[in-house]
Amino acid sequence: VRTSRRISISTALAFVEMEILRDVLTAAQAGDDVSVRTLLRKFVAVRNARWNRNPFVRSFEAAEERHEGTAQYVEVKAMDLVQRSFSHAEVPARETEGYAEYAHPQYLFSEFSSRTTGGTVAPADMPRNRIYPVGAAMGMLLDFLGVDWKGQVGADAANTFVSLLSSALHTGESDLASELVAAKKEYRYEDAVKAAGNLIQQHEDGFRAELHEFENQHGYRVQIRVRSGNLHRSGSTSARKWIVDDGARSLCKLYAVYTLRSPVLTLSLHDVAVLEEQDWAAGTKAVTFFVPTEPAILIEGKKLQAAPGEPKSFPSLKFGADTSEFQTDVRGRIRIDGHSITIDLIPSA
């Protein structure tokens, strides 16, 4: 219950942030400097209150805003330049159809709307997807305030979008306390907490139902545990992704393609369901999937010989099945217990 309440509060605060940004972008479009600054103080207060609740969220979101938020900022700026060019050239109307929805700030408004539902942030979009347009919006607003932010954000991880906004606004801690109270009241924070709680409960119920179906598949259950540093993950799917526990667990019932790569391992899957579990504090990741038939497992080029249920160490390993391939050149352990296979690349304490 405490965890659900905590996530509901964080989700509601994130929703309030996005609602404030809508109003700030509208004020900026009208050239209303006073309203922009007034509203941004509320935004900074709400953002700081949310980030202060979880240091990991602060570092994760700051990095995502720096990279993916900036990428979407570039996209918005490019499309805005295209729109402006139409007004300076004789371009037939038929050739400009479809571009209006990408103009600033309408495009960001559309992105915000696609990440919210029922008066709060959609649970599946809370951990990551909403960060991109929020980061882009802050970049646009730093431009409006005349802040030369691009070099600062790239040069020092301590320079976040919100810290640069706060510096430009000259906000102090005493100012933020009153701004937070005002923002919560003005943007219906308590209603957002209730809405988030209801949606999160529905989302978690859906996740548990999908997880039950996942764990009851036929074949061999395979789990690979690795350090999460230097991992490059990609996946292609049209199926719904269930994301719970602040993004620590995600489940997709059908990836057309899923890959996980690092300097010491390669995992390639196709046409499978995948469960991902992240331990943020320990810096580890577990990837679980099923294969329909007994896989071929080679240690140093030789077929695995291991007693059932007992872990066996290896210096390198190859794993192959109809829908999966895995290879690593790092030392680890493998355990086979019936139709359950665990490959552990995390060094023992």
Side-chain angles (χ1 to χ4, degrees), residues 173-191:
E173 288 299 323
S174 58
D175 302 322
L176 295 180
S178 58
E179 294 288 3
L180 177 61
V181 172
K184 284 183 173 181
K185 182 177 181 180
E186 183 176 350
Y187 289 92
R188 307 176 306 281
Y189 164 74
E190 291 297 339
D191 290 342

Side-chain angles (χ1 to χ4, degrees), residues 74-326:
V74 172
E75 179 184 346
V76 173
K77 291 289 284 187
M79 293 307 301
D80 198 44
L81 288 172
V82 170
Q83 283 288 317
R84 291 175 186 273
S85 71
F86 291 157
S87 63
H88 298 289
E90 295 181 359
V91 180
R94 66 179 181 276
E95 295 185 17
T96 66
E97 291 179 1
Y99 281 91
E101 64 184 286
Y102 293 103
H104 173 68
Q106 284 74 22
Y107 174 62
L108 288 176
F109 291 163
S110 175
E111 288 287 284
F112 285 180
S113 295
S114 70
R115 297 337 190 237
T116 58
T117 183
T120 192
V121 179
D125 291 315
M126 178 62 192
R128 188 185 296 267
N129 294 339
R130 65 173 175 84
I131 299 173
Y132 310 156
V134 168
M138 284 191 281
M140 301 298 289
L141 292 168
L142 285 166
D143 286 347
F144 179 87
L145 295 174
V147 177
D148 183 14
W149 59 272
K150 299 178 186 69
Q152 296 185 65
V153 167
D156 189 345
N159 291 330
T160 64
F161 282 112
V162 73
S163 72
L164 294 176
L165 285 172
S166 184
S167 295
L169 298 168
H170 307 292
T171 55
E173 288 299 323
S174 58
D175 302 322
L176 295 180
S178 58
E179 294 288 3
L180 177 61
V181 172
K184 284 183 173 181
K185 182 177 181 180
E186 183 176 350
Y187 289 92
R188 307 176 306 281
Y189 164 74
E190 291 297 339
D191 290 342
V193 172
K194 294 177 182 176
N198 292 334
L199 279 179
I200 289 168
Q201 185 60 58
Q202 294 172 21
H203 189 76
E204 290 178 348
D205 290 345
F207 172 82
R208 282 191 289 270
E210 193 96 338
L211 182 62
H212 177 77
E213 183 177 334
F214 172 84
E215 293 291 5
N216 281 278
Q217 295 179 82
H218 296 294
Y220 290 77
R221 184 185 192 273
V222 182
Q223 182 176 86
I224 300 173
R225 300 179 67 243
V226 298
R227 289 288 188 190
S228 53
N230 296 320
L231 281 178
H232 299 279
R233 172 198 173 281
S234 64
S236 175
T237 181
S238 59
R240 180 171 183 172
K241 291 175 65 178
W242 298 91
I243 303 174
V244 299
D245 298 340
D246 280 346
R249 292 196 295 168
S250 66
L251 174 62
C252 178
K253 68 179 180 181
L254 183 61
Y255 273 105
V257 177
Y258 176 96
T259 62
L260 197 67
R261 300 180 188 276
S262 83
V264 297
L265 67 87
T266 301
L267 172 65
S268 300
L269 308 174
H270 65 87
D271 302 313
V272 296
V274 177
L275 172 67
E276 297 175 271
E277 298 171 286
Q278 190 90 32
D279 186 328
W280 306 118
T284 62
K285 182 183 184 74
V287 177
T288 307
F289 55 94
F290 280 75
V291 294
T293 57
E294 183 176 1
I297 303 173
L298 301 178
I299 293 179
E300 294 187 297
K302 299 179 181 179
K303 187 176 180 180
L304 171 66
Q305 300 291 332
E310 293 186 7
K312 180 178 179 62
S313 297
F314 58 80
S316 65
L317 181 142
K318 287 186 178 181
F319 172 105
D322 293 342
T323 57
S324 64
E325 289 185 3
F326 175 73

Side-chain angles (χ1 to χ4, degrees), residues 5-58:
R5 174 68 179 176
R6 174 179 56 79
I7 297 174
S8 296
I9 290 172
S10 296
T11 302
L13 289 171
F15 176 74
V16 171
E17 290 175 23
M18 296 173 76
E19 291 296 283
I20 295 173
L21 283 178
R22 287 178 186 269
D23 290 345
V24 186
L25 290 169
T26 299
Q29 187 179 35
D32 186 349
D33 183 79
V34 173
S35 292
V36 166
R37 292 175 179 274
T38 299
L39 289 164
L40 275 177
R41 289 188 182 93
K42 290 183 172 64
F43 171 81
V44 170
V46 175
R47 165 58 66 87
N48 284 357
R50 185 169 65 82
W51 273 10
N52 287 341
R53 295 174 58 84
N54 190 326
F56 171 79
V57 168
R58 178 197 298 268

